[in-house]
Amino acid sequence: QRSRCTAFATTSRDMELPPPPPATEEVLVALRDAAVGHGDTASLTNVTLAVQRGMRLLVVGANGSGKSTLLATLAGKRPPLAGSRQSMRWLQCLHWDAACRDAADAEEESPLEFVLRLADGGVETSEALALLDSVGIDRFASRRPCGCLSSGERTRLAQCSIALAPKHLLVLDEPAAFLASPAVESLSAALAPEAWGGALVVATHSRAAALAFRATHTAILRGGGVSLHPGTAVDADWQALLEPEDGKAASEAAEAAASEAAEAAEAAA
C-alpha cells in the first residue's frame, strides 16, 4: 500500500495566514481566579491571566502540570471549575492540539479533500492546492490517501486549518511535535509578528520552537499555579522548567531563572 504514496515535495513558499479581523477590545480572553482541570480535579488554581491583542504567550511546564487544560480553557473548549472566563464579543479563536492530526480519514480522504472539507466552501480547489503546496504537499501528493502520510506530514496537513479563516487568536498545543527543523522554521515564519498580527498562545516542549515563536510573555506552570514573565524564558534553565517539580526549591529556582533571563533581555534591549 505504501507504493500508492508519494513523498512530500520541497515547500515552495511559507504558509500565509489571513490577517486577523479587527478587534473591538484590548483583552481578547481573560481568566480571573480560575481553577482549571478535569472533572472535579483542578490541576491549576487561582489563575488570573489575560491574553491581549498582539500578545504571544509561551506556556511551559512539566508533563501533567496542566498546559493542555489551560490552553483548552483559554480557547473556550473547557469551562473553568471555579472563577471566570471572559472573552471579547465575537472572538474568533482556533484551538489546535494533537487530536487535529487525526481529523482526516486516513484511507478514504486525500489531503485535498480534507482541506476542502475543513474549509466548508470557504476556499476554491486552486486555493486549497496552493495551501497544501505551502506545507510541502504537491499537486500529485494532494490526491493520494492521507494514510500515506508520516506523523510529521500529518501534523503539517492538520496545521492547514490555521490558514483557512481569519482569527483573532490561535491557541496551539505542541504544534512542533513530529516536525523536523525546516517545518518548525516554516510554521514560525508564517506566525511571525511581521507576517501575522494576531494573538498567539503556544505550549511546547521544544526549546528551538519556543525561541522561533518569539514570545512576548511566558507563563510558567508550577505547584498548581501560573506565573507570568515578560519575554521568552528560554535563556533560563529550560530543562528545569520542564521537569516535574521537586518541592518548593525547584519551583523557586525555575521562576528565579526565568526572571533573571527576562531582566537580562530587557537590559540588552
Side-chain angles (χ1 to χ4, degrees), residues 44-133:
L44 298 167
T45 58
N46 300 318
V47 178
T48 295
L49 181 64
V51 179
Q52 300 179 341
R53 289 188 295 176
M55 188 173 182
R56 306 171 67 83
L57 177 64
L58 172 67
V59 179
V60 296
N63 285 333
S65 61
K67 298 188 300 297
S68 294
T69 306
L70 175 61
L71 265 62
T73 304
L74 283 169
K77 298 294 185 180
R78 183 183 298 276
L81 304 180
S84 65
R85 174 190 180 273
Q86 294 181 318
S87 64
M88 181 185 73
R89 192 178 185 187
W90 312 122
L91 174 68
Q92 298 298 308
C93 173
L94 184 141
H95 177 234
W96 193 97
D97 62 8
C100 296
R101 295 192 306 109
D102 300 319
D105 188 313
E107 299 302 325
E108 300 299 327
E109 199 168 35
S110 69
L112 176 58
E113 291 168 335
F114 171 69
V115 169
L116 290 174
R117 174 168 63 83
L118 284 187
D120 193 23
V123 299
E124 301 292 336
T125 297
S126 60
E127 295 172 315
L129 288 170
L131 175 58
L132 288 165
D133 181 65

Side-chain angles (χ1 to χ4, degrees), residues 241-253:
L241 298 175
L242 304 181
E243 290 176 352
E245 59 184 316
D246 184 19
K248 183 177 179 181
S251 175
E252 292 178 346

